[in-house]
Amino acid sequence: MHDDRALMELRGHYRMLSNAVPPKFDNRATDAGRGIATAARDGVARAASVGLSLLRHALPQACALCAAPSGNALLCTACEAALPRIAAACPRCALPSADAAVCGACLAQPPPYVAARAAWAYVFPVDRLLQEFKYGGRLALAEPLALALCAALAPREAPAPDCLAAIPLAPRRQRARGFNHAREIASRVGDGIGVPLADGLRRTRETPPQAALRFAQRAANVSGAFVADGDFAGKSVAIVDDVMTTGATLASATRALLAAGALRVEAWAVARTLPPVPSRD
Ligand SMILES: [Zn+2]
Ligand SMILES: [Zn+2]
């Protein structure tokens, strides 16, 4: 009974957010050095994209996961409700933790971010959804992903951050992909919670994709890979990424923001990779 009520409240909140977030599907490539011609082309693309978005909202959709009719949403109610949430998570690292207490790993070695939040566990079908979004070119999925993150942030005690920052892609990778998936999510989360998305968190160098590396190699791979040259001094910042795996990328970006004078940094991700299950052999 109690759980039913909590679920209904979450759904009510979800609907509210769904109305609050404007249907924007613009592709904000904001790399420095963008020329006027590119800006004009982007303007046309954005107008076309907004047109398509309006059309999408006018036509019944098929759920991105099960293809059942899903009204004007990209996920049907049943699939959305069945996505794997982490019921009780450590407030520092967002991994499952009994009674949502700070976990032993964070007590022993606290991460540089003061809090971490994730909407879902990175397991099926969340992995499929994020891969579709990132590599399948389904940019429109940024909307339900951002809504899920907003819903996960809703029972929040700390004040809202002053600004959000998206984990940047290396310029070459962003050019190849055409968009930064983290920024697409972050801008919609910012719209949903009324917090501006700040520029000025950049990569200092190309790094091999984290997914290609073992867990132990990831911290070294992204160490010193970011610099923050935006207006972060004295600010509370939440960094947004799609997937938080070891937390190494978010930790490295956090250190860059703290070095730029940020007072407080949180790490927010759509999905949290659960630690590997130890072998019983
Ligand atoms: Zn579905
Ligand atoms: Zn923890």
Side-chain angles (χ1 to χ4, degrees), residues 90-95 101-107:
C90 166
R92 289 300 291 265
C93 69
L95 284 175
V102 176
C103 73
C106 289
L107 284 174

Side-chain angles (χ1 to χ4, degrees), residues 48-107:
S49 172
V50 169
L52 280 174
S53 161
L54 292 173
L55 197 63
R56 184 177 75 70
H57 277 254
L59 295 171
Q61 299 292 307
C63 170
L65 285 172
C66 73
S70 55
N72 64 2
L74 290 169
L75 294 176
C76 74
T77 324
C79 282
E80 192 275 314
L83 288 171
R85 290 174 179 80
I86 300 173
C90 166
R92 289 300 291 265
C93 69
L95 284 175
S97 167
D99 300 327
V102 176
C103 73
C106 289
L107 284 174

